[in-house]
Amino acid sequence: MANLLTGYALPAIIIIAKVLLIIVPLLLAVAYLTYFERKVLAAAQLRKGPNVVGPFGLLQPFADGLKLFLKETIIPSGANAGVFLAAPILTFLLSLVAWAVVPFGDGLVLSNINVGILYLFAISSLGVYGIIMSGWASNSKYAFLGALRSAAQMVSYEVSIGFVMVSVLLLVGSLNLSDVVMAQQRIWFVVPMLPMAVIFFISGLAETNRSPFDLPEGESEIVAGFFVEYSSMSFALFYLGEYANIILMSAMTSILFLGGWLAPLGLTFVPGPVWFAAKTAFIAFCFLWVRATFPRYRYDQLMRLGWKVFLPFSLFWLVLTAGVLTAMGWLPQ
């Protein structure tokens, strides 16, 4: 019996250790992404940014987290308490479970399933439920309007993201993310698929409700959108989920178009995971750079861009890619 328990316990411990090796660095990355965002915005506006808590302000994320943790969680009197509290938890958990199929290096992946891209697409599609739940359960017109905006926005841009992914899959012939990376050994897909890479990046901004597509959080119109009634750790979970999704979209951009962990120009002396982290950090910096540069879109402009520009163009590029591959006999079987 003891041997049987040991046989089950050891694999479970190994899996838990692998999960912690992903989640702990991810949470640290999320914490410091907030710090770097404030530093990037400060540099763009000729300010210093966080510089008081710790050397160069490096302890500011921990001070912010402690402040939110010690605050009281306030539930509005007319809110549905169960759904109200479940919404941020769902949003945060979905932002973590998506990392199960992301390869950090050659063989460095928690679950190397053959339908990794479908898994990621399904998880990203579920993200809208947490926002709808928060907007409905808050019993606030501002929160409900922000949730409806977010739902329409995420559904609109997920269509374009799907076509971009299918276009990449046509070149690879596999839904496995490690295969997508290895298919870029000769040339990164950003070169032949540059327009789709741009569409994927901009759609990622809209999918994560980031500026200039942060209409669901439009302070000038609906106070703070779907999380206007949230405070303390429930608000922090939304915040953590948003920034974890930014890192996830940056990682996906790196895998689909920038060769993932593959080194550029034969610089193989640097380990693959370091290249993957560097490329992801660069794309995340572009997210912050866009926020510091562009004004917010109007809602009609947001919808027009998604349905009248990105959708037709991504569909056209998908058909063009399939046609070229078929004409040249390169279409994977």
Side-chain angles (χ1 to χ4, degrees):
M1 185 66 179
N3 291 336
L4 185 62
L5 289 175
T6 305
Y8 281 111
L10 189 59
I13 292 172
I14 293 174
I15 291 174
I16 291 172
K18 288 181 178 179
V19 169
L20 289 177
L21 280 174
I22 294 174
I23 289 180
V24 173
L26 176 62
L27 292 179
L28 284 174
V30 166
Y32 276 98
L33 184 59
T34 64
Y35 169 81
F36 286 119
E37 177 175 38
R38 294 168 71 176
K39 281 292 190 181
V40 168
L41 293 176
Q45 299 164 3
L46 302 180
R47 299 184 288 108
K48 284 188 175 181
N51 62 346
V52 175
V53 186
F56 306 104
L58 285 171
L59 298 180
Q60 187 68 51
F62 298 102
D64 293 339
L66 182 63
K67 178 198 72 172
L68 288 168
F69 183 75
L70 295 176
K71 279 182 176 289
E72 178 186 1
T73 299
I74 298 172
I75 301 176
S77 57
N80 185 317
V83 180
F84 183 83
L85 294 176
I89 296 173
L90 176 65
T91 300
F92 179 63
L93 288 179
L94 287 174
S95 69
L96 294 182
V97 298
W99 286 88
V101 297
V102 175
F104 301 92
D106 192 5
L108 295 177
V109 57
L110 180 63
S111 180
N112 192 28
I113 59 177
N114 290 328
V115 289
I117 286 188
L118 285 182
Y119 174 85
L120 277 176
F121 198 63
I123 294 297
S124 67
S125 301
L126 290 173
V128 71
Y129 286 102
I131 293 172
I132 291 177
M133 287 165 60
S134 68
W136 176 81
S138 295
N139 193 32
S140 165
K141 293 177 182 176
Y142 294 123
F144 190 59
L145 182 57
L148 290 179
R149 280 184 173 187
S150 183
Q153 179 173 320
M154 293 176 77
V155 168
S156 300
Y157 283 85
E158 273 175 8
V159 180
S160 299
I161 287 179
F163 283 138
V164 172
M165 287 182 172
V166 173
S167 299
V168 172
L169 296 180
L170 282 176
L171 298 177
V172 180
S174 172
L175 291 168
N176 188 297
L177 289 171
S178 296
D179 292 343
V180 173
V181 174
M182 298 308 294
Q184 301 177 65
Q185 287 179 312
R186 289 188 177 181
I187 186 171
W188 294 353
F189 288 156
V190 70
V191 177
M193 306 280 285
L194 180 61
M196 297 302 263
V198 172
I199 288 178
F200 188 83
F201 174 74
I202 298 175
S203 298
L205 291 172
E207 187 77 7
T208 53
N209 297 329
R210 292 290 297 178
S211 181
F213 307 115
D214 54 342
L215 274 299
E217 306 162 18
E219 297 90 352
S220 57
E221 312 129 45
I222 50 176
V223 188
F226 57 89
F227 53 71
V228 66
E229 301 291 349
Y230 283 87
S231 60
S232 68
M233 281 309 293
S234 57
F235 169 78
L237 288 176
F238 271 124
Y239 206 65
L240 292 171
E242 177 182 332
Y243 282 85
N245 282 326
I246 290 173
I247 299 175
L248 178 65
M249 291 302 298
S250 302
M252 283 302 301
T253 306
S254 170
I255 290 170
L256 292 175
F257 297 103
L258 298 178
W261 67 81
L262 298 178
L265 302 176
L267 301 176
T268 54
F269 58 88
V270 179
V274 175
W275 282 117
F276 178 74
K279 294 172 186 176
T280 303
F282 172 73
I283 300 298
F285 167 73
C286 292
F287 271 74
L288 311 183
W289 192 6
V290 167
R291 180 179 177 183
T293 309
F294 290 93
R296 180 181 296 143
Y297 269 40
R298 286 199 321 264
Y299 200 73
D300 62 307
Q301 293 173 327
L302 170 78
M303 285 297 160
R304 185 185 306 119
L305 181 67
W307 290 108
K308 294 186 176 180
V309 179
F310 283 2
L311 177 60
F313 186 83
S314 58
L315 183 58
F316 162 75
W317 195 273
L318 172 62
V319 174
L320 179 66
T321 303
V324 170
L325 291 175
T326 303
M328 295 186 173
W330 293 349
L331 195 63
Q333 298 299 317

